[in-house]
Amino acid sequence: MRSAFVWTKLSPACRYAEVQTRDVVVTDLTARLSVAEKRADAAVEVKDALVSSCNQLEADREWMRAHGIARIVEAIMNAPKTAAGVEMVRDRARDAGFKAGYNRCIGHLNVMSKGGHTDERSGFHGVDTEALLKAAEASFYDTPLACEEELDNCLEAADYVDRLRMLYPDVEEENPAGGAGGDAGTSGTK
C-alpha cells in the first residue's frame, strides 16, 4: 500500500522515469532469459547427441563382440592360403619330429650297442628338417591373405563397424538351439 501512496505523490516526469527504468529492467531480464533458454536448448541438443552417440557405440561394441570378431576370425581361418600354410607347417613339423625321434632312437641304440648306427636309412638323412620347418613358419606368417586387405580398408575408416557389417552381413541360423526343429519332439503324443 505504501508503494501506491508513493506512486501517486510522484510527479509525472518521475513516474515516466520509473516506468522507463522498469521497462529497461524487464527488457534486460527478457534478453537474459532468452540467452539462458538458448543455452539450455543447446545443452539439451548436445546431451541428446552424446546419448545417441553413446548408444550407437554400445550397439557397435555388442555387434563386434557377438558377430564381428567371430566373422573376422572365420574369414582368416577359412582363407585357402591359411589352410595351405597350416598344412605345410604341420607337414614340416611332423617331418622334424620324425627325424628328431629317429635320431634319438639311434642315439639310444648306439649307447647300447657301442655305436655304428647312423641315420643313412632314414628318409631324412642329410635333410635339415628344422630349417624347413622355420622356412614354412616364416612363409605362413608372411603370406598375405585376400581378406586382410578388405579388413584393413574397413578398420581404417571411422565407421569401421558399419563397413564390417556390410562385409559380413548377419546370417540367421536356420536351426537355432542345437539344430532342433520348431516342434523338436514336443507334440505331446507317444
PDB file of all heavy atoms in Angstrom, residues 11 17 40 43 52 65-66 75 84 108 174-175 181 185:
ATOM      1  N   SER A  11       5.751  13.012  -9.289  1.00  0.00           N
ATOM      2  CA  SER A  11       5.380  13.850 -10.427  1.00  0.00           C
ATOM      3  C   SER A  11       5.315  12.982 -11.680  1.00  0.00           C
ATOM      4  O   SER A  11       5.900  11.913 -11.730  1.00  0.00           O
ATOM      5  CB  SER A  11       6.412  14.962 -10.607  1.00  0.00           C
ATOM      6  OG  SER A  11       7.640  14.406 -11.023  1.00  0.00           O
ATOM      7  N   ALA A  17       9.965   8.211 -15.645  1.00  0.00           N
ATOM      8  CA  ALA A  17      11.320   7.684 -15.443  1.00  0.00           C
ATOM      9  C   ALA A  17      11.257   6.329 -14.760  1.00  0.00           C
ATOM     10  O   ALA A  17      12.014   5.403 -15.098  1.00  0.00           O
ATOM     11  CB  ALA A  17      12.150   8.657 -14.627  1.00  0.00           C
ATOM     12  N   ALA A  40      20.265 -23.453 -22.737  1.00  0.00           N
ATOM     13  CA  ALA A  40      19.632 -24.691 -22.262  1.00  0.00           C
ATOM     14  C   ALA A  40      19.248 -25.578 -23.439  1.00  0.00           C
ATOM     15  O   ALA A  40      19.460 -26.802 -23.394  1.00  0.00           O
ATOM     16  CB  ALA A  40      18.417 -24.373 -21.406  1.00  0.00           C
ATOM     17  N   ALA A  43      22.381 -27.096 -24.815  1.00  0.00           N
ATOM     18  CA  ALA A  43      22.860 -28.146 -23.912  1.00  0.00           C
ATOM     19  C   ALA A  43      22.035 -29.416 -24.071  1.00  0.00           C
ATOM     20  O   ALA A  43      22.579 -30.529 -24.066  1.00  0.00           O
ATOM     21  CB  ALA A  43      22.823 -27.660 -22.465  1.00  0.00           C
ATOM     22  N   SER A  52      22.874 -40.337 -28.044  1.00  0.00           N
ATOM     23  CA  SER A  52      22.727 -41.082 -29.291  1.00  0.00           C
ATOM     24  C   SER A  52      24.054 -41.711 -29.704  1.00  0.00           C
ATOM     25  O   SER A  52      24.114 -42.880 -30.090  1.00  0.00           O
ATOM     26  CB  SER A  52      22.212 -40.165 -30.385  1.00  0.00           C
ATOM     27  OG  SER A  52      22.176 -40.837 -31.611  1.00  0.00           O
ATOM     28  N   ARG A  65      31.352 -57.807 -30.463  1.00  0.00           N
ATOM     29  CA  ARG A  65      31.531 -58.928 -29.541  1.00  0.00           C
ATOM     30  C   ARG A  65      30.723 -60.147 -29.983  1.00  0.00           C
ATOM     31  O   ARG A  65      31.197 -61.275 -29.892  1.00  0.00           O
ATOM     32  CB  ARG A  65      31.115 -58.523 -28.131  1.00  0.00           C
ATOM     33  CG  ARG A  65      32.080 -57.514 -27.513  1.00  0.00           C
ATOM     34  CD  ARG A  65      31.622 -57.087 -26.167  1.00  0.00           C
ATOM     35  NE  ARG A  65      32.077 -58.076 -25.196  1.00  0.00           N
ATOM     36  CZ  ARG A  65      31.663 -58.132 -23.954  1.00  0.00           C
ATOM     37  NH1 ARG A  65      30.796 -57.250 -23.518  1.00  0.00           N
ATOM     38  NH2 ARG A  65      32.117 -59.041 -23.135  1.00  0.00           N
ATOM     39  N   ALA A  66      29.509 -59.933 -30.443  1.00  0.00           N
ATOM     40  CA  ALA A  66      28.633 -61.044 -30.787  1.00  0.00           C
ATOM     41  C   ALA A  66      28.901 -61.616 -32.182  1.00  0.00           C
ATOM     42  O   ALA A  66      28.759 -62.823 -32.382  1.00  0.00           O
ATOM     43  CB  ALA A  66      27.173 -60.596 -30.691  1.00  0.00           C
ATOM     44  N   ALA A  75      36.867 -65.557 -41.363  1.00  0.00           N
ATOM     45  CA  ALA A  75      37.386 -65.196 -42.688  1.00  0.00           C
ATOM     46  C   ALA A  75      38.864 -65.548 -42.808  1.00  0.00           C
ATOM     47  O   ALA A  75      39.312 -66.054 -43.849  1.00  0.00           O
ATOM     48  CB  ALA A  75      37.167 -63.705 -42.949  1.00  0.00           C
ATOM     49  N   ALA A  84      46.381 -73.931 -46.631  1.00  0.00           N
ATOM     50  CA  ALA A  84      47.600 -74.445 -47.270  1.00  0.00           C
ATOM     51  C   ALA A  84      48.819 -74.190 -46.395  1.00  0.00           C
ATOM     52  O   ALA A  84      49.692 -75.068 -46.255  1.00  0.00           O
ATOM     53  CB  ALA A  84      47.776 -73.798 -48.642  1.00  0.00           C
ATOM     54  N   HIS A 108      70.040 -93.921 -28.648  1.00  0.00           N
ATOM     55  CA  HIS A 108      69.860 -94.957 -27.624  1.00  0.00           C
ATOM     56  C   HIS A 108      70.460 -96.284 -28.076  1.00  0.00           C
ATOM     57  O   HIS A 108      71.079 -96.998 -27.291  1.00  0.00           O
ATOM     58  CB  HIS A 108      68.375 -95.139 -27.291  1.00  0.00           C
ATOM     59  CG  HIS A 108      67.766 -93.985 -26.567  1.00  0.00           C
ATOM     60  ND1 HIS A 108      68.218 -93.561 -25.345  1.00  0.00           N
ATOM     61  CD2 HIS A 108      66.742 -93.164 -26.907  1.00  0.00           C
ATOM     62  CE1 HIS A 108      67.487 -92.522 -24.947  1.00  0.00           C
ATOM     63  NE2 HIS A 108      66.586 -92.260 -25.893  1.00  0.00           N
ATOM     64  N   GLU A 174      19.656 -71.264 -39.437  1.00  0.00           N
ATOM     65  CA  GLU A 174      18.475 -71.975 -39.922  1.00  0.00           C
ATOM     66  C   GLU A 174      17.847 -72.809 -38.816  1.00  0.00           C
ATOM     67  O   GLU A 174      16.644 -72.909 -38.710  1.00  0.00           O
ATOM     68  CB  GLU A 174      18.861 -72.866 -41.100  1.00  0.00           C
ATOM     69  CG  GLU A 174      19.250 -72.065 -42.333  1.00  0.00           C
ATOM     70  CD  GLU A 174      19.652 -72.976 -43.478  1.00  0.00           C
ATOM     71  OE1 GLU A 174      19.439 -74.198 -43.385  1.00  0.00           O
ATOM     72  OE2 GLU A 174      20.191 -72.454 -44.454  1.00  0.00           O
ATOM     73  N   ASN A 175      18.663 -73.452 -38.015  1.00  0.00           N
ATOM     74  CA  ASN A 175      18.163 -74.314 -36.945  1.00  0.00           C
ATOM     75  C   ASN A 175      18.752 -73.865 -35.614  1.00  0.00           C
ATOM     76  O   ASN A 175      19.752 -74.405 -35.163  1.00  0.00           O
ATOM     77  CB  ASN A 175      18.541 -75.777 -37.205  1.00  0.00           C
ATOM     78  CG  ASN A 175      17.839 -76.330 -38.423  1.00  0.00           C
ATOM     79  OD1 ASN A 175      16.696 -75.979 -38.682  1.00  0.00           O
ATOM     80  ND2 ASN A 175      18.513 -77.195 -39.163  1.00  0.00           N
ATOM     81  N   GLY A 181      14.322 -78.839 -34.650  1.00  0.00           N
ATOM     82  CA  GLY A 181      13.314 -78.160 -35.455  1.00  0.00           C
ATOM     83  C   GLY A 181      12.331 -77.405 -34.579  1.00  0.00           C
ATOM     84  O   GLY A 181      12.433 -77.405 -33.355  1.00  0.00           O
ATOM     85  N   GLY A 185      10.081 -82.473 -31.206  1.00  0.00           N
ATOM     86  CA  GLY A 185       9.574 -83.627 -30.492  1.00  0.00           C
ATOM     87  C   GLY A 185       8.666 -83.283 -29.327  1.00  0.00           C
ATOM     88  O   GLY A 185       8.570 -84.032 -28.373  1.00  0.00           O
TER      89      GLY A 185
END
